[in-house]
Amino acid sequence: MLRIVKGLAALAAGAAFALGLGVVPAGAVGTTEGSCAGGVTGRLPRAQDQRFYVQCGGGIATVLACPTGQVYAPERQLCDDPERVRPAVATAATAATAGPAKLNGLLFGVKNLSATVRIADAPAGLDGVPVTFTTLGGRTLCTAVTDQFGAARCDTPARLTIPLDEILRGYRANYAGIGGIYLGSSATAPVSLL
């Protein structure tokens, strides 16, 4: 059984904080992040996102988060500053995962701005990270936080004061990164009239 715990609960011996999202069956733990089957005890790395690790006890896997700004160091089995563990990991932002954004007149704004932020060369998305959507000229349209799959979506406020030709050139989704843990990335997508 894989248990993912949510909240801020300090743990001794490793200074980790528990964060989570619900309960998932043990079969959901992939071989890339280890398995707690057979009564394995201890900590295993979580390949999808090094901000987390798996605590095994009595055949139960609990996904735990390192304190903000730290990553899991598997060789020492504790959380530490990223620069002491490894170099920053590249991320990839893919815009328009739900299709191109639609301009519904300047009074109603732009709908369906979307992006997915994931770890480069991995299917895992980064959850809980901010994405800023801008025009290609750099004017902010809206901001959103990624969901559990790394997807962020938002609509602009009504009554945009940005020139129509600037909006119709497209938009950019920008992820700033997490210092020393994940590098920033961006992607562009089109905007079309409804």
Side-chain angles (χ1 to χ4, degrees):
M1 170 188 232
L2 172 64
R3 203 174 42 187
I4 303 178
V5 185
K6 186 159 189 149
L8 291 175
L11 297 176
F17 291 98
L19 286 180
L21 310 165
V23 176
V24 181
V29 178
T31 56
T32 59
E33 73 178 20
S35 172
C36 293
V40 172
T41 303
R43 296 178 179 168
L44 301 172
R46 188 156 194 256
Q48 295 96 322
D49 191 340
Q50 291 179 314
R51 296 176 297 169
F52 301 88
Y53 63 93
V54 178
Q55 177 69 49
C56 292
I60 296 175
T62 304
V63 176
L64 300 171
C66 289
T68 301
Q70 292 190 344
V71 295
Y72 184 67
E75 63 284 346
R76 294 184 313 229
Q77 294 195 1
L78 55 83
C79 295
D80 203 347
D81 294 328
E83 59 275 2
R84 294 177 55 174
V85 176
R86 55 150 177 79
V89 174
T91 62
T94 307
T97 55
K102 302 287 185 186
L103 177 64
N104 191 9
L106 290 177
L107 294 178
F108 302 107
V110 182
K111 307 291 182 195
N112 303 323
L113 297 163
S114 63
T116 300
V117 179
R118 62 176 180 77
I119 301 168
D121 301 324
L126 287 176
D127 65 327
V129 298
V131 176
T132 302
F133 297 91
T134 65
T135 64
L136 297 182
R139 296 187 205 215
T140 300
L141 296 168
C142 58
T143 59
V145 174
T146 58
D147 64 16
Q148 64 191 17
F149 305 107
R153 291 174 183 78
C154 64
D155 297 335
T156 67
R159 302 187 185 277
L160 288 174
T161 58
I162 299 170
L164 180 61
D165 65 328
E166 183 175 348
I167 293 169
L168 290 176
R169 285 194 310 234
Y171 72 94
R172 178 173 285 116
N174 300 291
Y175 166 60
I178 300 172
I181 300 174
Y182 295 110
L183 300 174
S185 57
S186 67
T188 60
V191 173
S192 60
L193 289 169
L194 265 179

